[in-house]
Amino acid sequence: MLSIRQRDRRVTVLRDILDWSTSRPDWQRDALRRLVSASVLTDQDIGELAQMVQRSRGLKGDGADPSPSPLSEAHIALPAAGGEGVVLTALRDFTNVNALATKQTLNFEAAGLTVVYGDNGAGKSGYVRVLKQLCRARSPGDGILGNLISGDSSVPHGFVEYTRAGQKTTVQWSDGSVPPDDLSAVSVFDTDCASVYVDDESPVAYRPFGLDLLAGLASACDRVKSLLQARIAALHSQRLSAVGYSLDGTVHRLLQSLSPRTTRVEIDAVGVLSAAERERMQMLQLQIAEIDLDGPQKRAAELRNKASRIKSIRTELAEIHERPSTPFATSLKAARDAHATAEEAARLASALRFQDQPLPHVGSSAWRSLWEAARVFSTSEAYKDTRFPYTAAGALCVLCQQPLEPEAAERLENFERFVQDRSQQAVAAAVRNLSALRTQLQSAATSLRSAVLLDDLGPSGTVQREAVVSLLATATARKESLEEALGSGDWQSVTECGTLPIPQLEALLLDIEKAATEAESSSNPSQKAQLQAELVQLQERDRLGREIDAVLAEIERLSVIHALEKCIADTDTSAITRKSTQLTKAYVSDALCKTFEDELQALGLRHLSVVMDPTGGSKGTLYHKVEIRRPDGSAVAGVSRVLSEGEQRCIALAAFLAELTTQDGGSTIILDDPVSSLDHERREAIARRLVSESERRPVVVFTHDLVFLLSLDRLAKKSSVAFAGRHLRRSTQSVGAVIGDLPWYGLPVSRRLGVLKERHQRVARHHKDGLVDEYMEGAWVIYGLLRESWERAVEEVLLNEAILRYGREIQTKRLEKALDITAADYAVLEAGMDRCSTFNAGHDAAPAANLQMPEPDEVLKDIVALETWITSIRKRRSK
C-alpha cells in the first residue's frame, strides 16, 4: 500500500503535469488523458492519435476522424492505491538449459528469504542466466547454451511461475522469446551487473505515476511517428515518373522542380500550347518527313520495317511451336480414350438391354445418328411441340410412317429411355470434347500466314531461313502424326516439334539494327537535328498538357508529404524528456542519491567519497552515474580502475538496493553470489541488509558461501523473518538437481532430526528385506550424522547459540539461559556421544569387540534420545 506521503507526491506530480500539458498540442493532451485510465495504449489509440495530429496540420487521414479530448482536472483523481509486486514462485521443467537436470522444480517463497545453496558447478549459474533473460537485469547476457554433452538440438525452454495481486500465472519460456512484461518488475543482481552499475549510466527504474504518464506519452509519440513515416513511405512510392521526357528539356526541368508551392499557372505556361505553336508542330513534322524521303534515312526506315516483319515471324513461330503442344497432345489422347471407354460402356448397356430386339446393334453410333435425325424430324416437322417419341393413339412412326402398334410404341419409349441414360450422356459429352479438340488440331497453323515473309530471312541456304523451314516441317509432321494417332490410337509414332530458332532470329535483328543505325549516321544531321529538337520540345509540352491531372496529383502528393513531415516534427519527445527529467530530479533523484549514500554506510564503505549523480535523460528516463570525489569535489575518472573488486561489488550492491527503495510494490529481487570477493565484515553487513530487505519483499539469494548462508539463517531468525533453504547438487550426468532444503552442514539441529528419521525408515526397510550389508552401511552413516547432530545441539541448545563455529561474535547475553545446565544434561549428552562413537563408521573398533549393529528399533531410540534431550532443555527455558 502507498504511504500518505507517496500518495500526496502522486497528486503533486499529476497536477504539475496537468499544468505543463496546456502548452502541448491537443492530440498529446488527449494521449495523456488516455494514459491516466490505461497505462498502455492500444494500436487503435495510436491510430486515432495519428489521425488527430494529421488533422491539426490540415490533413485528413484514413478512416475515422476523432476529435481530441484533452487531459483535465476531472481526469487526475488519485489512482487506486496498490502497486502490487510481482512475486516469483518457481522455475520448473527446464530442458536443454546448460547441463541442468530435467524434471526439476526450484521453488521460491512468496515472502521472506529464500537461499539457494550449491557448490561451484552445481547449477546455480544456469538458473541465474535464465532469470537474467526473464527479469530486469543490467547485464542480461547472451543466449542460453544448450547441453553440449547430450547433443540435444532443441531450443532451451521451461516454465516460470509467478503471482501478481494474488493471481498465479504460469508462462512457457524459450530462449530468445520475449518475456512477460510483469517479470520486468523482478530485479536481478550478479557479478556482471556489478560492473554495469559501477561504470555505466543507470536509468532510474521507478517513476511516480505522473512520470509514468510522460514515459507513456513519449512512447505514444514514437508509435505515432512510425505510422506517419509509413504513410510518407507509401506516398514516396507513388512519385510521378518523368520517363520519356528529355533530360535537358523544359518539361523535365518543370517536373523536377515541382513542390507544394507550384501553381497551376506555372504548369499551364509549359503544358498548354497556343494555336501558333500547334501549327508550328505540324509544320516541323512535315519538314522532317520530307528530309527522310530519300537517302540513308529511307534505307534505315526500310531496314527497320524489315526488322518489324521479322519480329512478326518470331511471333508466328512461337504460336506454331506452342500449338499443338505436349499438354494438348496429352488432352487429345485422354479425350480419345474417354470416348472409346464411353462408347464401350454404351455398347455393353445396349447389348444387355436390347438383346431381344429384331435388329442387332441398337445403341451403336450409326443407330444413335438415325435416332437423333428422327428426333429432329418429329419435333420440327411431323409432330411439332410434342415430346419425342410421339406414341399417342393414331401416331405414325416417323421413319416408316406406319401406324404404331402398342409393341412398337413401347419399343420407341425404351429406345428414348436408353438414349437419356447416363452412359449415353457420357458418350455425348465425350463426343463433344473430342470434337472440340479435333477442331483445334485441324485449325493449328503449320505455316506462316504469308510465304513472302521468308524472303526477309534471306535466300535459301541461310542459317535463319533453314532453321525456320525446318521448324515448319516438323510442326506439319507433328500435326499429321497427331491426326493419324487420333484415328489409329497409336500414340508412340507421334513426332516432336523442332526447336524455335530464336537465337538465329535475334542475331539477324541485331545485324539489321546495326545497318539501320549506320545508315542514319551517314546522313547530314545539321538541318534535321535543329528541327527535331524543336519538335521534341513541342511534343513533350503537348504530352504534359494531356497529363495535367497527373501533375496536379503529384503536387497534392508533395503537399501531403510536406504536411506529414510537420506532423512528424510534432512528435518530437525532447520537451517530454526535459519535463520528465525536471520532475524526476524534483521527486526522485534527490531521494535516490541520499538513499545510495545510506546504503553505502550500511554496507560499511565509509572510507571513500562515492556519490551518485544525475547525468541527463532520454525518452522520459533520467540516468545516473556512480563517481568517486576528491577532497576538492572533482570526480575521479574510471571507478573500476580505482576500486578493488570487493569495493566495486559493495558500491554496485548499494546502487541496486537504493534503486529498489524508489519502487512501489514488493516484487521479488534475486542476488547471485552477492558477497563474492568480500571480507567477513562486509559479508555480515550484506547479510544483515538482505534480511532487512526481505521484511519488505521476497528476496532470493544464490550462494556457494556456507558461512554467508548460516549468517543469513541466523540473522533471519533473529529478526523473525521467514527463511527457506534450497540445495542444488550435481551428478556425473547433470547439475542443478533440486533438494527442498539446505545441505546437511547448513541445517539446524531441529531439521537434522527429520533427516535422521527419514534415513532410519530407509535402512529399516533394508533390515526387513534381509539386506544385511545395506543395513549395516546405512546404520553406520546414521550414527555418524547423529554424532554431528549432538555436537550441533551443544552449540544451538545447550549453550543457547552463545558461541557458534561459523559466527563472528560471542553473544554473552545468551549465556544467561545456559546457567541452568545440570549434571543430568551432561550425562545424557555423554551417553549419546558414546553411543554414536561406538557404532560410528569413522571409528575403528578392536577386533575382539565383535560389535553387533543395533536393531532398527534401537537406532530410532537413539535418535529420539537426542530429540527428547533438546525438547526438555528448550521447554525448561521457555518458562
Side-chain angles (χ1 to χ4, degrees), residues 330-630:
T330 302
S331 299
L332 190 64
K333 180 178 181 303
R336 185 185 186 281
D337 292 342
H339 177 265
T341 301
E343 284 280 359
E344 179 61 16
R347 185 190 66 76
L348 291 175
S350 173
L352 292 174
R353 183 177 294 182
F354 304 116
Q355 56 185 352
D356 297 327
Q357 295 299 318
L359 293 177
H361 306 302
V362 174
S364 66
S365 296
W367 180 89
R368 284 197 303 274
S369 298
L370 175 64
W371 184 258
E372 292 302 323
R375 180 193 304 279
V376 172
F377 174 71
S378 177
T379 57
S380 61
E381 299 291 340
Y383 299 106
K384 293 182 179 180
D385 302 323
T386 60
R387 61 176 292 278
F388 175 78
Y390 181 67
T391 58
L396 301 178
C397 174
V398 294
L399 295 177
C400 68
Q401 299 188 13
Q402 296 292 324
L404 286 173
E405 297 296 332
E407 181 180 355
E410 178 62 24
R411 182 179 295 115
L412 291 178
E413 292 292 345
N414 287 340
F415 286 165
E416 178 62 10
R417 283 193 292 271
F418 170 74
V419 170
Q420 297 303 322
D421 188 78
R422 289 186 177 179
S423 61
Q424 293 301 310
Q425 293 176 8
V427 170
V431 168
R432 287 194 298 273
N433 186 36
L434 182 60
S435 176
L437 293 175
R438 191 192 304 274
T439 299
Q440 291 182 36
L441 177 63
Q442 292 171 349
S443 63
T446 59
S447 62
L448 297 177
R449 285 187 282 271
S450 174
V452 178
L453 292 175
L454 286 174
D455 294 335
D456 288 323
L457 302 177
S460 299
T462 58
V463 175
Q464 294 85 355
R465 184 161 183 163
E466 292 303 315
V468 171
V469 171
S470 174
L471 174 63
L472 295 175
T474 57
T476 301
R478 176 172 174 79
K479 178 178 178 180
E480 292 173 353
S481 66
L482 284 173
E483 291 174 340
E484 291 176 1
L486 193 59
S488 66
D490 179 14
W491 299 92
Q492 298 296 323
S493 60
V494 173
T495 62
E496 296 294 331
C497 196
T499 304
L500 277 170
I502 297 300
Q504 296 91 329
L505 295 179
E506 292 295 339
L508 180 59
L509 286 171
L510 287 175
D511 291 342
I512 293 173
E513 178 61 29
K514 181 179 179 181
T517 302
E518 290 175 351
E520 287 175 335
S521 62
S522 63
S523 64
N524 181 9
S526 57
Q527 181 184 10
K528 180 182 176 182
Q530 184 177 356
L531 297 176
Q532 188 73 44
E534 185 181 355
L535 175 62
V536 167
Q537 289 296 312
L538 290 171
Q539 289 174 330
E540 288 184 353
R541 289 176 58 196
D542 184 53
R543 174 188 166 188
L544 177 66
R546 295 192 303 272
E547 297 177 350
I548 194 73
D549 290 341
V551 178
L552 294 175
E554 173 68 4
I555 294 174
E556 176 62 21
R557 183 187 72 88
L558 294 173
S559 299
V560 173
I561 290 176
H562 181 68
L564 287 172
E565 288 172 345
K566 290 183 178 180
C567 292
I568 287 178
D570 292 340
T571 65
D572 181 71
T573 59
S574 300
I576 301 171
T577 300
R578 287 194 299 270
K579 186 61 179 179
S580 177
T581 300
Q582 173 195 339
L583 294 177
T584 304
K585 288 180 179 179
Y587 294 103
V588 180
S589 294
D590 292 342
L592 176 65
C593 295
K594 178 60 171 65
T595 304
F596 174 68
E597 295 177 9
D598 295 341
E599 292 290 351
L600 287 177
Q601 295 293 317
L603 297 180
L605 198 68
R606 300 179 175 88
H607 61 287
L608 288 173
S609 177
V610 182
V611 297
M612 179 186 288
D613 278 343
T615 60
S618 173
K619 300 294 183 185
T621 299
L622 181 64
Y623 293 86
H624 291 73
K625 190 173 183 66
V626 175
E627 293 181 339
I628 300 176
R629 293 288 175 82
R630 297 186 179 92

Side-chain angles (χ1 to χ4, degrees), residues 159-200:
F159 293 89
V160 184
E161 297 177 358
Y162 66 90
T163 62
R164 182 167 197 168
Q167 182 176 355
K168 181 179 179 180
T169 301
T170 300
V171 295
Q172 185 169 10
W173 161 83
S174 61
D175 185 33
S177 63
V178 178
D181 291 340
D182 284 348
L183 290 180
S184 64
V186 177
S187 301
V188 181
F189 177 86
D190 74 344
T191 302
D192 293 337
C193 299
S195 62
V196 176
Y197 271 99
V198 171
D199 286 339
D200 293 349

Side-chain angles (χ1 to χ4, degrees), residues 757-771 774-775 856:
K757 289 180 179 180
E758 290 178 2
R759 284 181 171 271
H760 171 265
Q761 291 178 355
R762 290 199 296 270
V763 300
R765 285 195 294 270
H766 293 327
H767 184 275
K768 181 180 179 180
D769 296 339
L771 303 173
E774 286 81 354
Y775 174 72

